[in-house]
Amino acid sequence: MNSNISLAFQACRREKRPALITYTVAGDNTKNNSLKILNKISKYADILELGFPHNTPIADGGQIQGSSHRALKKGIKLKDVFQIVKKFKKKNPAKPLILMGYYNVIYQSGENNFLKDCSLSGVDGLIIVDLPYPENHEFAKKCKKKSINFIQLLSPTTSKERMKKIIRDSHDMIYYISMLSTTGGKLKISPKEILKNYNKIKRINPKKNLVIGFGITDKTISALKSANGLVVGSLLCKTIANSLKMGQNPVTKLDKVVYNLKKKIL
Amino acid sequence: MSLKIRRNIPLIDQHDKNFMYGGKFGGNFIPETLKKPLDDLTKLFAKLRKDKKFLKERDLYFKDYVGSPTPFIKLENLTDYLGGAQVYAKVVSEANGGAHKIYGATVHCLIAKKAGKKYIIGDTGAGYAGKMLSMAAKKFGLKCKIFMGAKDIKRQRPNVEAIKKNGAEIVPVTTGSQTLVDAVSECMRYWVSNCDTTHMCVGSTVGPNIFIKICAWSTAQISRELIVQVKEEFGKIPNKLKLINCVGGGSSAAGFWNEFINTSAEFIGVEAGGPKNSKLHAAPLTFGSKIGILHGAAQYVIQDKEGQIGSTESISAGLDYPGISPLHCFLKDSKRASYTSASDEEALEAYKLVSRLENISPSLEPSHAFAEAIKLAPKLKPFEVIIVNSCGDSLKDKDIIKQKLGSYVR
């Protein structure tokens, strides 16, 4: 049976456009608001990534650190994250939702326990930033057994040999990190250059859904639209931070920003 | 079940193919982007440590630049005062720059040169790792950036000034607790973005496996010297010998103990217990913290049930770290070393006593180790020997000491 994730990519392919993938942090700026945000932006986004916050994130830039910090300060717990997912999926059962975070949170919860909660709440996929291949091999297998997509990451430093192995071990979606950067960095190389690398990876296995993330904003997204999917995260976290600063409602602000992003890739 | 240390294999090489010590500590829990730079560094280091020319170069720098061997002295007055075991100190603070961090800094700069990197970055807590890296970087002609928590910048002024004088840039880290843990995170993030041009030095035996290895391999110089000095002093390794060392990340202790692994010497690590009346501390081994992942490695770490890294508190910036080297987790669970803690107050008292009685004045980090020696010595017999690694000098702590005790005497 096709997963929600591969169905989403198939639908986008039919419309000849990339999948729009958003990233927001569970509990930013409150549990309720982060659920409302998911409900709103799911009108435009094809796949939703939801961060479960960690307080020592080694691969995230300032904006996502800020989001995680706001969420943790409000006391978000893992069980709240699953509640948010559950409520969202009840309303939007076909919309793919991917949890993203750091391994220690899973480790403390226990891998099996964590995956059970994923299944019960309807999580479609997982991105674990600090569990690279081949260390993730066993965990990825466990995910597959539970019909949860384990999403492998590739970066500009990944060798071709390594890419081949990772792609062979991948499920329905692979995430290509556009440049050497933490999340939210300014694009250091041109979209053209990114796409050149992207196409090289695509050639290894053209059937795999390969998405690009890191440094993508409303300014750069349209130049990358030949990819299978594009992830926007820090821009959204920044939008929340700014709207809070200005005393505006982050939910309506985010709704607008994601709507605009979608327009740019149609 | 207790873990086993395999004989005839260096401590740093006791890991399995997944780079885990005892199957549960260490590893490489890192973002994909760092896989290749870490692999490259691992291969380079494996080659260099077998390369006779490189070893010669290292030894030459250790001798002429770091100053080897550092003194090994009997603390006659302290021994008389405590009335029990004979108390000695390995005065590592006599090394160039004033602490053991010079070993790792020198080796990392040598490696950076071999790797053809022009930039070097490092984290620092007490400021020693930063000071030494900036010093060595200057000597080797590398551009240097030091990541330091804003709170530590305030409390370790003398070292901050030294870093600046050496021409390095200090990057203040204002996230989280603004101490060492955040400095290490920020330094790693910077490396994720700049690993193509920049070499990273981790200041202690923490982080992804290769950094643990390079650091402990470098500080091992301490025990290479010491084992010779001990044999000279006693004719052999005394049957009842205790080697006491403070542990934060654990770099000086790993180096202090390394050559004694297969002897009968007893290892005691002293963690930072924090203020006497505070629930906060920096002693994950003493207070039974659970295994978690911090900065790319599995280790005992202060954290909550959800895996969020916990707050710490210690008067000593160098020990103020929620985790502890996987090497020490392994030594603890294999029962080769034992670990305890000293409170802020005990460390201050120890600093005061040692500085008053002897010609050395330990910084607040080794003062934790002296506190344990002061507790233990009176209970032991005169033929028993305690050696404390005095791995830093109190000068850098003069502001804190003045504030706590009213005056600073060195």
Side-chain angles (χ1 to χ4, degrees):
Chain A
M1 202 184 77
N2 274 331
S3 70
N4 283 332
I5 292 176
S6 41
L7 289 173
F9 281 112
Q10 281 168 26
C12 293
R13 204 161 284 154
R14 277 196 299 274
E15 293 177 24
K16 298 196 167 40
R17 63 172 179 87
L20 177 61
I21 303 160
T22 56
Y23 171 93
T24 51
V25 173
D28 182 24
N29 67 325
T30 63
K31 289 175 221 168
N32 255 337
N33 273 355
S34 65
L35 175 62
K36 277 189 201 158
I37 286 170
L38 291 179
N39 281 326
K40 280 271 186 205
I41 64 179
S42 61
K43 277 181 292 177
Y44 317 113
D46 300 290
I47 298 172
L48 301 161
E49 286 178 14
L50 184 67
F52 52 98
H54 186 48
N55 68 354
T56 317
I58 52 172
D60 284 310
Q63 295 304 337
I64 292 179
Q65 282 182 52
S67 275
S68 305
H69 183 72
R70 282 193 293 275
L72 288 169
K73 226 171 119 189
K74 287 267 165 77
I76 185 100
K77 298 274 188 260
L78 194 56
K79 67 170 184 354
D80 304 320
V81 177
F82 286 121
Q83 272 304 315
I84 292 169
V85 177
K86 202 171 180 178
K87 284 180 186 159
F88 172 79
K89 289 294 284 194
K90 208 170 165 187
K91 258 190 165 171
N92 311 274
K95 185 65 82 175
L97 187 139
I98 294 169
L99 281 186
M100 178 163 181
Y102 289 83
Y103 184 62
N104 196 39
V105 176
I106 298 175
Y107 188 75
Q108 297 315 319
S109 162
E111 286 185 354
N112 295 336
N113 208 15
F114 184 87
L115 287 177
K116 202 177 90 194
D117 287 337
C118 285
S119 297
L120 288 174
S121 57
V123 169
D124 295 282
L126 284 174
I127 301 176
I128 312 304
V129 181
D130 55 349
L131 195 64
Y133 179 87
E135 281 84 354
N136 60 33
H137 183 74
E138 287 306 308
F139 185 65
K141 265 202 326 214
K142 276 188 194 174
C143 289
K144 194 157 200 176
K145 260 196 195 150
K146 294 251 175 200
S147 307
I148 293 167
N149 256 272
F150 185 88
I151 289 134
Q152 300 278 2
L153 294 141
L154 301 173
S155 111
T157 56
T158 313
S159 70
K160 194 163 181 197
E161 272 321 291
R162 190 173 154 75
M163 276 187 182
K164 282 184 188 163
K165 285 184 199 156
I166 295 176
I167 292 170
R168 205 176 304 139
D169 229 40
S170 68
H171 302 165
D172 297 334
M173 168 176 154
I174 305 170
Y175 190 129
Y176 176 59
I177 298 166
S178 64
M179 56 176 173
L180 299 188
S181 174
T182 51
T183 52
K186 213 169 147 10
L187 272 195
K188 291 200 254 182
I189 52 174
S190 66
K192 213 173 132 192
E193 195 72 20
I194 295 171
L195 284 174
K196 215 173 100 190
N197 293 337
Y198 175 90
N199 289 328
K200 266 190 222 159
I201 305 169
K202 249 335 244 192
R203 276 198 287 276
I204 297 173
N205 185 344
K207 280 190 201 139
K208 289 281 181 179
N209 300 304
L210 181 64
V211 310
I212 307 177
F214 283 43
I216 300 179
T217 65
D218 49 342
K219 310 258 179 338
T220 48
I221 193 164
S222 59
L224 294 163
K225 67 181 180 188
S226 63
N228 298 146
L230 297 166
V231 188
V232 182
S234 291
L235 174 73
L236 306 185
C237 296
K238 191 174 160 187
T239 304
I240 296 178
N242 286 346
S243 56
L244 290 173
K245 226 185 279 165
M246 316 277 280
Q248 294 160 331
N249 183 351
V251 182
T252 45
K253 272 275 158 194
L254 225 58
D255 186 42
K256 256 189 219 149
V257 170
V258 178
Y259 169 75
N260 275 325
L261 286 168
K262 182 64 171 281
K263 261 198 343 204
K264 296 204 162 152
I265 54 166
L266 290 179
Chain B
M1 193 189 71
S2 118
L3 307 175
K4 274 217 167 64
I5 297 180
R6 289 166 296 158
R7 276 189 91 86
N8 302 321
I9 294 175
L11 179 62
I12 56 172
D13 298 324
Q14 297 266 337
H15 57 75
D16 59 23
K17 66 177 185 353
N18 296 320
F19 301 97
M20 301 291 270
Y21 297 97
K24 34 181 200 178
F25 306 113
N28 289 312
F29 296 87
I30 46 152
E32 172 64 23
T33 303
L34 292 184
K35 263 280 180 189
K36 169 107 185 347
L38 283 175
D39 273 356
D40 290 348
L41 187 57
T42 303
K43 281 183 197 138
L44 178 63
F45 180 64
K47 203 178 88 190
L48 290 175
R49 65 190 277 212
K50 278 193 253 157
D51 179 346
K52 286 202 179 105
K53 235 175 83 191
F54 180 76
L55 295 178
K56 236 182 171 172
E57 208 179 337
R58 175 199 69 176
D59 291 343
L60 201 68
Y61 277 109
F62 278 1
K63 191 165 150 283
D64 296 340
Y65 175 62
V66 174
S68 156
T70 57
F72 171 58
I73 58 169
K74 183 165 185 186
L75 304 178
E76 300 275 5
N77 298 333
L78 188 65
T79 300
D80 286 350
Y81 178 87
L82 296 172
Q86 305 172 57
V87 184
Y88 283 74
K90 171 74 173 154
V91 194
V92 173
S93 59
E94 284 292 306
N96 191 9
H100 64 285
K101 298 289 185 194
I102 190 67
Y103 299 107
T106 304
V107 168
H108 268 290
C109 285
L110 279 169
I111 294 174
K113 289 296 257 189
K114 302 280 172 205
K117 300 273 163 81
K118 293 195 177 67
Y119 303 90
I120 193 159
I121 54 167
D123 58 80
T124 198
Y128 271 136
K131 178 183 169 188
M132 308 307 172
L133 190 63
S134 64
M135 230 169 78
K138 193 176 167 193
K139 177 158 184 76
F140 288 90
L142 296 159
K143 277 216 145 121
C144 179
K145 258 191 219 293
I146 301 296
F147 294 81
M148 189 170 188
K151 180 178 169 188
D152 291 339
I153 290 181
K154 273 193 208 127
R155 61 175 168 168
Q156 304 282 239
R157 209 165 34 97
N159 279 349
V160 171
E161 278 158 18
I163 296 169
K164 284 186 184 155
K165 229 189 228 163
N166 290 329
E169 181 192 341
I170 296 191
V171 183
V173 180
T174 54
T175 49
S177 60
Q178 316 198 352
T179 59
L180 180 57
V181 62
D182 310 293
V184 178
S185 301
E186 195 57 33
C187 188
M188 289 183 98
R189 285 184 206 115
Y190 183 88
W191 201 45
V192 170
S193 301
N194 298 279
C195 53
D196 49 346
T197 58
T198 303
H199 179 80
M200 180 168 78
C201 165
V202 176
S204 191
T205 38
V206 298
N209 178 260
I210 186 59
F211 292 108
I212 294 171
K213 278 186 153 176
I214 294 174
C215 184
W217 186 79
S218 308
T219 53
Q221 175 67 14
I222 301 169
S223 53
R224 264 200 303 277
E225 294 171 10
L226 182 63
I227 203 161
V228 176
Q229 290 166 322
V230 164
K231 283 177 186 162
E232 268 170 18
E233 175 77 10
F234 302 101
K236 59 166 194 160
I237 294 168
N239 293 331
K240 291 276 187 180
L241 172 64
K242 290 182 167 55
L243 300 178
I244 307 184
N245 206 124
C246 60
V247 285
S251 59
S252 71
F256 188 52
W257 296 342
N258 190 62
E259 299 295 311
F260 292 88
I261 288 273
N262 294 322
T263 72
S264 61
E266 193 185 324
F267 302 160
I268 302 171
V270 187
E271 297 183 302
K276 213 167 34 190
N277 296 319
S278 168
K279 276 196 182 123
L280 295 179
H281 56 83
L285 295 181
T286 308
F287 296 112
S289 298
K290 279 176 66 186
I291 299 175
I293 316 292
L294 175 63
H295 293 143
Q299 61 201 276
Y300 290 115
V301 54
I302 297 167
Q303 60 181 327
D304 67 12
K305 276 190 193 135
E306 298 254 316
Q308 306 295 342
I309 304 305
S311 307
T312 56
E313 191 176 0
S314 168
I315 193 169
S316 132
L319 306 181
D320 201 353
Y321 185 72
I324 170 85
S325 176
L327 292 176
H328 290 294
C329 299
F330 179 56
L331 288 172
K332 178 176 194 263
D333 279 14
S334 60
K335 299 200 165 64
R336 179 62 188 91
S338 63
Y339 296 84
T340 180
S341 70
S343 67
D344 285 2
E345 291 79 4
E346 289 168 326
L348 271 169
E349 277 305 310
Y351 146 79
K352 226 165 61 178
L353 186 65
V354 176
S355 303
R356 181 163 64 82
L357 293 176
E358 299 290 345
N359 282 328
I360 59 167
S361 184
S363 67
L364 291 172
E365 289 81 15
S367 290
H368 284 73
F370 278 110
E372 179 62 19
I374 290 165
K375 265 183 241 172
L376 277 179
K379 297 180 205 159
L380 304 176
K381 299 276 183 305
F383 65 86
E384 297 190 62
V385 178
I386 288 176
I387 307 174
V388 178
N389 182 1
S390 193
C391 56
D393 188 281
S394 70
L395 195 64
K396 73 159 178 73
D397 295 323
K398 68 176 180 204
D399 290 356
I400 304 170
I401 293 169
K402 236 192 242 167
Q403 188 210 337
K404 295 274 175 188
L405 301 176
S407 65
Y408 169 67
V409 189
R410 195 168 163 271

